[in-house]
Amino acid sequence: MEPVRSRFDMSAESPLTAARREISRRAVLGGGLLGLGGLLLSPAQLFAKAAVPSDSFVLLLKGRYQPVVDGPNLGLSTVDLDDGSYSTVVIYPVSGIPGNNDQSSTVGRFFVQFAGDLCAYHVPGGSFAMRFTGSDVAFVDDGAGGQFLEGTFDLTVLEATGIYRPFVGGHNRMVDRLHFLAPGDGSGGFEEYCFCFISRP
């Protein structure tokens, strides 16, 4: 690898000599065609070239859950987001996924069954479905008629699309603070604040 040069490094050539150097026609045409080829790639091909997350990545689920209406087809057979049992909230990036790394901007959606054990994530590069397998949680009064469900959940990655396929069989540790808004029984809605630590098998 060539050493990185600072902007103050001076070349031994004079500017006049450097300007007279000729570039071959083949180099010009080859570079132009290479650049044009990049423009002709479809978005799907560009995503296919996106870097696969390393061994793990972290997401933040944050906001008020809403019922899923006309659920999207994420290409996952494990979940049916149109069956009326799912709620959804937005996803923010924390670390390790391609695309937008601005932690104040959403990058996808999380879908969950409150009366079941399945969930799904849709983020840049693909989607993945999971099953809840264990928890260590407790309810804490919020002092305003509602309550927080605080603790951790464990999940297994059941299937995945796109760049997340290598994570099938992997693990998700959720560190959650789910707010059951007043009256605290779920009828007042849910406000989520949950970090998801997702790793390969």
Side-chain angles (χ1 to χ4, degrees):
M1 175 185 279
E2 293 183 9
V4 176
R5 297 179 60 178
S6 80
R7 61 186 289 195
F8 300 108
D9 285 342
M10 302 301 289
S11 170
E13 280 187 299
S14 73
L16 185 59
T17 305
R20 287 185 179 161
R21 259 194 273 149
E22 291 185 14
I23 300 172
S24 75
R25 183 175 180 201
R26 179 179 291 181
V28 170
L29 289 175
L33 289 174
L34 184 62
L36 182 60
L39 293 174
L40 295 177
L41 289 175
S42 70
Q45 289 169 313
L46 289 174
F47 254 75
K49 294 179 178 290
V52 175
S54 58
D55 290 337
S56 63
F57 57 96
V58 184
L59 302 171
L60 172 64
L61 315 178
K62 181 181 173 186
R64 179 80 60 95
Y65 278 101
Q66 301 294 331
V68 174
V69 179
D70 296 325
N73 180 355
L74 303 182
L76 302 169
S77 62
T78 310
V79 295
D80 178 5
L81 301 181
D82 227 6
D83 69 4
S85 69
Y86 287 86
S87 295
T88 184
V89 73
V90 293
I91 298 173
Y92 292 84
V94 177
S95 66
I97 67 165
N100 185 359
N101 291 317
D102 179 357
Q103 295 184 6
S104 64
S105 298
T106 64
V107 292
R109 295 203 74 85
F110 173 70
F111 304 88
V112 66
Q113 292 177 313
F114 282 117
D117 63 355
L118 296 173
C119 67
Y121 295 74
H122 181 59
V123 290
S127 302
F128 38 97
M130 298 187 186
R131 173 169 279 121
F132 288 86
T133 58
S135 65
D136 182 9
V137 295
F139 280 102
V140 178
D141 192 298
D142 71 356
Q147 54 185 344
F148 292 104
L149 180 64
E150 298 181 343
T152 61
F153 291 94
D154 292 297
L155 301 87
T156 297
V157 182
L158 302 174
E159 64 175 325
T161 66
I163 64 175
Y164 301 100
R165 286 189 180 100
F167 286 82
V168 172
H171 181 256
N172 179 6
R173 167 62 60 91
M174 287 181 158
V175 179
D176 200 2
R177 190 170 198 247
L178 179 62
H179 193 183
F180 285 63
L181 301 170
D185 60 3
S187 63
F190 303 94
E191 190 85 27
E192 183 67 279
Y193 194 84
C194 176
F195 287 96
C196 304
F197 297 85
I198 301 165
S199 57
R200 293 186 189 225

